[in-house]
Amino acid sequence: MSQLPRIVVLATGGTIAGASANPASSARYQAATVPVATLLAAVPALQSVARIEAEQVAQVDSKDMVFSLWSALADRVQYWCGQPDVAGIVITHGTDTLEETAMFLHLTQACAVPVVLTAAMRPSTSLSADGPLNLLDSVRVAAHADARGKGVLVVLNQQVHAARDVAKAHTSAVDAFVSAQCGPLGYVQDDLVRIARAPVRTATGVLPVPEQWPDVEIVASYAQPGRVAVDAMVGTGVRGLVVAAAGNGSVHETLVAALRDAAAAGVAVVRSSRTGAGHVAIPPAADPVDGVFVSAADLNPYKARVLLLLALAREPGLAAAPDRLQALFASA
Ligand code: ASP
Protein backbone atom coordinates (compact mmCIF):
# COMPACT_ATOMS: atom_id res chain seq x y z
CA MET A 1 0.00 0.00 0.00
CA SER A 2 1.40 3.40 -0.93
CA GLN A 3 2.06 5.86 1.84
CA LEU A 4 0.01 9.01 2.32
CA PRO A 5 1.82 12.21 1.31
CA ARG A 6 3.88 13.96 3.99
CA ILE A 7 2.52 17.46 4.68
CA VAL A 8 4.08 19.96 7.06
CA VAL A 9 1.83 22.41 8.93
CA LEU A 10 3.52 25.61 10.10
CA ALA A 11 1.31 27.36 12.65
CA THR A 12 1.55 31.10 13.34
CA GLY A 13 -1.62 31.85 15.32
CA GLY A 14 -4.66 33.89 14.27
CA THR A 15 -8.35 33.29 14.79
CA ILE A 16 -8.03 29.76 13.46
CA ALA A 17 -6.19 29.19 16.76
CA GLY A 18 -8.56 31.45 18.69
CA ALA A 19 -10.81 30.51 21.59
CA SER A 20 -13.79 32.06 23.29
CA ALA A 21 -15.69 31.37 26.51
CA ASN A 22 -18.86 32.06 24.55
CA PRO A 23 -19.33 29.78 21.53
CA ALA A 24 -22.18 31.99 20.28
CA SER A 25 -19.89 34.97 19.83
CA SER A 26 -17.58 35.11 16.84
CA ALA A 27 -16.37 38.60 17.70
CA ARG A 28 -15.30 38.31 21.34
CA TYR A 29 -12.44 35.88 21.62
CA GLN A 30 -8.72 35.61 22.12
CA ALA A 31 -6.82 34.94 18.88
CA ALA A 32 -3.72 32.73 18.82
CA THR A 33 -4.16 30.61 21.93
CA VAL A 34 -4.85 27.03 20.78
CA PRO A 35 -1.73 24.98 19.98
CA VAL A 36 -1.41 23.46 16.52
CA ALA A 37 -1.55 19.90 17.89
CA THR A 38 -5.04 20.62 19.28
CA LEU A 39 -6.18 22.15 15.98
CA LEU A 40 -5.02 19.07 14.10
CA ALA A 41 -6.60 16.69 16.60
CA ALA A 42 -9.95 18.39 16.03
CA VAL A 43 -9.92 17.23 12.39
CA PRO A 44 -9.66 13.40 12.43
CA ALA A 45 -10.29 13.29 8.66
CA LEU A 46 -6.76 14.63 8.15
CA GLN A 47 -5.43 11.19 8.99
CA SER A 48 -6.79 9.75 5.77
CA VAL A 49 -5.39 12.60 3.64
CA ALA A 50 -1.79 13.00 4.76
CA ARG A 51 0.96 12.15 7.21
CA ILE A 52 1.17 15.45 9.06
CA GLU A 53 4.04 16.99 10.93
CA ALA A 54 3.48 20.31 12.65
CA GLU A 55 5.58 23.16 13.94
CA GLN A 56 4.40 26.03 16.10
CA VAL A 57 6.44 28.76 14.42
CA ALA A 58 4.62 31.50 16.35
CA GLN A 59 1.40 32.16 18.22
CA VAL A 60 0.37 35.71 17.28
CA ASP A 61 -2.64 37.73 16.30
CA SER A 62 -1.66 38.60 12.74
CA LYS A 63 -2.61 42.24 13.26
CA ASP A 64 0.70 42.35 15.14
CA MET A 65 2.76 40.84 12.30
CA VAL A 66 6.43 41.84 12.28
CA PHE A 67 9.26 41.43 9.78
CA SER A 68 11.22 39.12 12.10
CA LEU A 69 8.32 36.64 11.99
CA TRP A 70 8.21 36.84 8.18
CA SER A 71 11.92 36.01 8.15
CA ALA A 72 11.45 33.11 10.58
CA LEU A 73 8.55 31.77 8.51
CA ALA A 74 10.59 32.03 5.30
CA ASP A 75 13.38 30.05 7.01
CA ARG A 76 10.99 27.25 7.97
CA VAL A 77 9.41 27.18 4.50
CA GLN A 78 12.87 26.94 2.93
CA TYR A 79 13.92 24.20 5.34
CA TRP A 80 10.89 22.02 4.67
CA CYS A 81 10.98 22.69 0.93
CA GLY A 82 14.46 21.23 0.99
CA GLN A 83 13.32 17.91 2.50
CA PRO A 84 12.96 15.43 -0.36
CA ASP A 85 9.89 13.59 0.92
CA VAL A 86 7.75 16.60 1.81
CA ALA A 87 4.79 16.87 -0.57
CA GLY A 88 3.51 20.25 0.56
CA ILE A 89 3.43 22.92 3.26
CA VAL A 90 0.39 24.47 4.95
CA ILE A 91 0.69 27.68 6.97
CA THR A 92 -2.03 28.62 9.45
CA HIS A 93 -2.29 32.39 9.86
CA GLY A 94 -4.54 35.18 11.04
CA THR A 95 -6.82 36.68 8.44
CA ASP A 96 -5.97 40.33 9.17
CA THR A 97 -2.61 40.43 7.41
CA LEU A 98 -2.73 37.12 5.56
CA GLU A 99 -2.69 38.90 2.21
CA GLU A 100 0.61 40.60 3.12
CA THR A 101 2.33 37.43 4.31
CA ALA A 102 1.04 35.65 1.20
CA MET A 103 2.54 38.40 -0.98
CA PHE A 104 5.83 38.21 0.94
CA LEU A 105 6.06 34.45 0.37
CA HIS A 106 4.96 34.80 -3.26
CA LEU A 107 7.86 37.17 -3.87
CA THR A 108 10.55 35.39 -1.85
CA GLN A 109 9.94 31.64 -1.94
CA ALA A 110 10.76 29.33 -4.84
CA CYS A 111 9.41 26.04 -3.54
CA ALA A 112 8.89 23.01 -5.76
CA VAL A 113 5.98 21.75 -3.64
CA PRO A 114 2.78 23.67 -2.86
CA VAL A 115 2.87 26.29 -0.10
CA VAL A 116 -0.70 26.96 1.06
CA LEU A 117 -1.83 29.57 3.58
CA THR A 118 -5.07 29.15 5.43
CA ALA A 119 -6.96 30.89 8.24
CA ALA A 120 -10.40 31.20 9.77
CA MET A 121 -12.87 33.98 10.31
CA ARG A 122 -14.35 32.32 13.40
CA PRO A 123 -12.44 31.07 16.45
CA SER A 124 -12.02 27.34 16.97
CA THR A 125 -14.60 27.27 19.77
CA SER A 126 -17.39 29.09 17.93
CA LEU A 127 -20.57 27.65 16.48
CA SER A 128 -19.87 26.66 12.86
CA ALA A 129 -16.15 27.31 13.18
CA ASP A 130 -14.66 27.51 9.68
CA GLY A 131 -11.09 26.63 10.69
CA PRO A 132 -11.38 22.83 10.69
CA LEU A 133 -12.66 22.62 7.11
CA ASN A 134 -10.20 25.28 5.93
CA LEU A 135 -7.36 23.27 7.48
CA LEU A 136 -8.54 20.02 5.91
CA ASP A 137 -9.03 21.66 2.51
CA SER A 138 -5.59 23.27 2.69
CA VAL A 139 -3.95 19.91 3.34
CA ARG A 140 -5.95 18.41 0.48
CA VAL A 141 -4.70 21.17 -1.83
CA ALA A 142 -1.10 21.01 -0.57
CA ALA A 143 -1.09 17.27 -1.25
CA HIS A 144 -2.59 17.57 -4.72
CA ALA A 145 -0.45 17.22 -7.83
CA ASP A 146 -2.36 19.98 -9.65
CA ALA A 147 -1.33 22.51 -6.99
CA ARG A 148 2.34 22.16 -7.94
CA GLY A 149 3.82 24.96 -9.98
CA LYS A 150 0.96 27.36 -9.16
CA GLY A 151 2.98 29.57 -6.82
CA VAL A 152 1.98 30.28 -3.23
CA LEU A 153 -1.72 29.55 -2.69
CA VAL A 154 -4.39 30.62 -0.21
CA VAL A 155 -7.25 28.28 0.67
CA LEU A 156 -10.33 29.40 2.59
CA ASN A 157 -14.05 28.85 2.30
CA GLN A 158 -13.57 26.02 -0.23
CA GLN A 159 -11.76 28.32 -2.65
CA VAL A 160 -8.18 28.27 -3.90
CA HIS A 161 -6.62 31.69 -4.55
CA ALA A 162 -3.32 32.94 -5.92
CA ALA A 163 -1.31 34.58 -3.11
CA ARG A 164 -0.63 37.65 -5.22
CA ASP A 165 -4.29 38.30 -5.98
CA VAL A 166 -6.21 37.52 -2.82
CA ALA A 167 -7.30 40.06 -0.20
CA LYS A 168 -9.56 40.17 2.83
CA ALA A 169 -12.68 42.11 1.84
CA HIS A 170 -15.09 41.64 4.73
CA THR A 171 -14.82 42.18 8.47
CA SER A 172 -16.52 38.96 9.58
CA ALA A 173 -18.04 36.82 6.83
CA VAL A 174 -16.59 33.37 6.14
CA ASP A 175 -16.34 34.31 2.45
CA ALA A 176 -14.16 37.30 3.35
CA PHE A 177 -11.33 36.45 0.95
CA VAL A 178 -11.65 37.45 -2.68
CA SER A 179 -9.45 37.73 -5.71
CA ALA A 180 -11.37 40.75 -6.93
CA GLN A 181 -9.72 41.22 -10.28
CA CYS A 182 -9.16 37.69 -11.59
CA GLY A 183 -11.20 35.40 -9.38
CA PRO A 184 -10.06 32.25 -7.57
CA LEU A 185 -7.94 29.57 -9.23
CA GLY A 186 -10.14 26.71 -8.18
CA TYR A 187 -12.16 25.10 -5.46
CA VAL A 188 -12.35 22.21 -3.03
CA GLN A 189 -15.47 20.14 -2.62
CA ASP A 190 -14.94 17.32 -0.12
CA ASP A 191 -12.26 15.06 -1.64
CA LEU A 192 -12.33 16.86 -4.97
CA VAL A 193 -9.64 19.47 -5.52
CA ARG A 194 -10.20 21.27 -8.79
CA ILE A 195 -7.55 23.76 -9.87
CA ALA A 196 -9.14 25.27 -12.94
CA ARG A 197 -6.33 27.55 -14.10
CA ALA A 198 -2.76 28.60 -13.34
CA PRO A 199 -1.74 32.12 -12.40
CA VAL A 200 0.61 33.61 -14.99
CA ARG A 201 2.83 35.09 -12.30
CA THR A 202 4.15 32.00 -10.61
CA ALA A 203 7.72 33.31 -10.76
CA THR A 204 8.10 33.10 -7.02
CA GLY A 205 11.40 33.63 -5.30
CA VAL A 206 12.31 36.68 -7.33
CA LEU A 207 13.39 38.79 -4.34
CA PRO A 208 15.56 37.84 -1.34
CA VAL A 209 14.36 37.97 2.26
CA PRO A 210 15.92 41.20 3.57
CA GLU A 211 18.64 41.33 6.20
CA GLN A 212 17.70 44.97 6.83
CA TRP A 213 14.15 46.18 6.24
CA PRO A 214 13.79 49.72 4.89
CA ASP A 215 11.12 52.04 6.25
CA VAL A 216 8.24 51.96 3.77
CA GLU A 217 4.88 53.43 4.75
CA ILE A 218 1.40 53.98 3.34
CA VAL A 219 -0.45 57.29 3.05
CA ALA A 220 -3.95 57.85 1.70
CA SER A 221 -5.50 60.43 -0.59
CA TYR A 222 -8.90 61.81 0.43
CA ALA A 223 -10.77 65.13 0.69
CA GLN A 224 -8.47 67.91 1.83
CA PRO A 225 -5.51 65.88 3.07
CA GLY A 226 -2.68 67.59 4.89
CA ARG A 227 0.94 67.10 3.91
CA VAL A 228 2.20 66.91 7.46
CA ALA A 229 2.33 63.10 7.55
CA VAL A 230 4.36 62.85 4.34
CA ASP A 231 6.73 65.62 5.41
CA ALA A 232 7.20 64.01 8.82
CA MET A 233 7.94 60.61 7.33
CA VAL A 234 10.43 62.07 4.88
CA GLY A 235 12.01 63.87 7.84
CA THR A 236 12.47 60.57 9.69
CA GLY A 237 14.12 58.87 6.72
CA VAL A 238 11.33 56.87 5.06
CA ARG A 239 12.69 55.11 1.93
CA GLY A 240 9.40 54.45 0.16
CA LEU A 241 5.80 55.64 0.25
CA VAL A 242 2.76 53.88 -1.18
CA VAL A 243 -0.23 56.12 -1.78
CA ALA A 244 -3.66 54.59 -1.34
CA ALA A 245 -4.93 56.85 -4.11
CA ALA A 246 -8.52 57.44 -5.11
CA GLY A 247 -9.99 55.71 -8.17
CA ASN A 248 -7.50 55.04 -10.93
CA GLY A 249 -4.54 56.39 -8.95
CA SER A 250 -5.82 59.94 -8.49
CA VAL A 251 -3.92 61.85 -5.81
CA HIS A 252 -5.07 65.14 -4.25
CA GLU A 253 -2.99 68.09 -5.44
CA THR A 254 -1.82 68.87 -1.90
CA LEU A 255 -0.49 65.35 -1.57
CA VAL A 256 1.00 65.42 -5.09
CA ALA A 257 3.06 68.44 -4.03
CA ALA A 258 4.23 66.72 -0.85
CA LEU A 259 5.01 63.47 -2.68
CA ARG A 260 6.91 65.24 -5.47
CA ASP A 261 9.07 66.81 -2.76
CA ALA A 262 9.49 63.36 -1.19
CA ALA A 263 10.55 61.90 -4.55
CA ALA A 264 12.99 64.78 -5.05
CA ALA A 265 14.46 63.87 -1.65
CA GLY A 266 15.08 60.30 -2.88
CA VAL A 267 11.92 58.54 -1.64
CA ALA A 268 10.27 55.98 -3.95
CA VAL A 269 6.60 56.85 -4.47
CA VAL A 270 4.13 54.23 -5.66
CA ARG A 271 0.49 54.88 -6.50
CA SER A 272 -1.99 52.16 -5.64
CA SER A 273 -5.77 52.39 -5.46
CA ARG A 274 -7.97 52.43 -2.40
CA THR A 275 -10.91 51.01 -4.42
CA GLY A 276 -10.10 47.33 -3.85
CA ALA A 277 -9.89 46.29 -7.49
CA GLY A 278 -8.55 47.39 -10.83
CA HIS A 279 -5.24 48.41 -12.36
CA VAL A 280 -3.70 51.83 -11.70
CA ALA A 281 -2.79 53.23 -15.09
CA ILE A 282 0.71 54.42 -15.79
CA PRO A 283 -0.09 58.12 -16.26
CA PRO A 284 -0.08 59.59 -19.77
CA ALA A 285 2.71 62.02 -20.64
CA ALA A 286 0.53 65.03 -19.82
CA ASP A 287 0.16 63.86 -16.23
CA PRO A 288 2.31 65.93 -13.88
CA VAL A 289 3.48 62.84 -11.99
CA ASP A 290 4.46 60.79 -15.05
CA GLY A 291 7.92 59.31 -14.61
CA VAL A 292 8.08 60.32 -10.95
CA PHE A 293 5.45 58.15 -9.31
CA VAL A 294 5.30 54.44 -10.06
CA SER A 295 2.02 52.60 -10.70
CA ALA A 296 1.29 49.64 -8.39
CA ALA A 297 -0.54 47.93 -11.27
CA ASP A 298 -3.33 45.84 -9.68
CA LEU A 299 -1.69 45.46 -6.26
CA ASN A 300 -3.62 46.94 -3.36
CA PRO A 301 -1.66 49.36 -1.11
CA TYR A 302 -0.67 46.65 1.39
CA LYS A 303 0.62 44.26 -1.25
CA ALA A 304 2.33 47.10 -3.10
CA ARG A 305 4.10 48.00 0.13
CA VAL A 306 5.44 44.46 0.48
CA LEU A 307 6.87 44.57 -3.04
CA LEU A 308 8.37 48.02 -2.45
CA LEU A 309 9.90 46.88 0.86
CA LEU A 310 11.59 43.89 -0.73
CA ALA A 311 12.68 45.81 -3.83
CA LEU A 312 14.27 48.65 -1.85
CA ALA A 313 15.90 46.20 0.56
CA ARG A 314 17.56 44.42 -2.36
CA GLU A 315 18.50 47.61 -4.16
CA PRO A 316 18.12 50.96 -2.36
CA GLY A 317 19.07 52.75 -5.59
CA LEU A 318 15.74 51.73 -7.14
CA ALA A 319 14.19 54.74 -5.38
CA ALA A 320 16.03 56.94 -7.86
CA ALA A 321 15.15 54.73 -10.85
CA PRO A 322 11.36 54.89 -11.24
CA ASP A 323 11.53 53.27 -14.68
CA ARG A 324 13.15 50.14 -13.31
CA LEU A 325 10.86 50.11 -10.29
CA GLN A 326 7.90 50.41 -12.67
CA ALA A 327 9.18 47.42 -14.64
CA LEU A 328 9.29 45.40 -11.41
CA PHE A 329 5.72 46.38 -10.49
CA ALA A 330 4.62 45.42 -13.99
CA SER A 331 6.06 41.93 -13.67
CA ALA A 332 6.24 40.75 -10.01
N1 ASP B 1 -7.01 39.30 14.42
C1 ASP B 1 -7.04 37.96 13.85
C2 ASP B 1 -5.70 37.71 13.19
O1 ASP B 1 -5.47 38.23 12.14
C3 ASP B 1 -8.14 37.85 12.89
C4 ASP B 1 -8.30 36.52 12.21
O2 ASP B 1 -7.43 35.68 12.20
O3 ASP B 1 -9.38 36.32 11.61
O4 ASP B 1 -4.85 37.02 13.74
Side-chain angles (χ1 to χ4, degrees), residues 14-16 29 31 60-63 93-97 120-121 168:
T15 293
I16 193 167
Y29 63 93
V60 296
D61 186 322
S62 81
K63 74 180 176 58
H93 199 284
T95 60
D96 286 345
T97 58
M121 294 297 291
K168 185 177 181 181

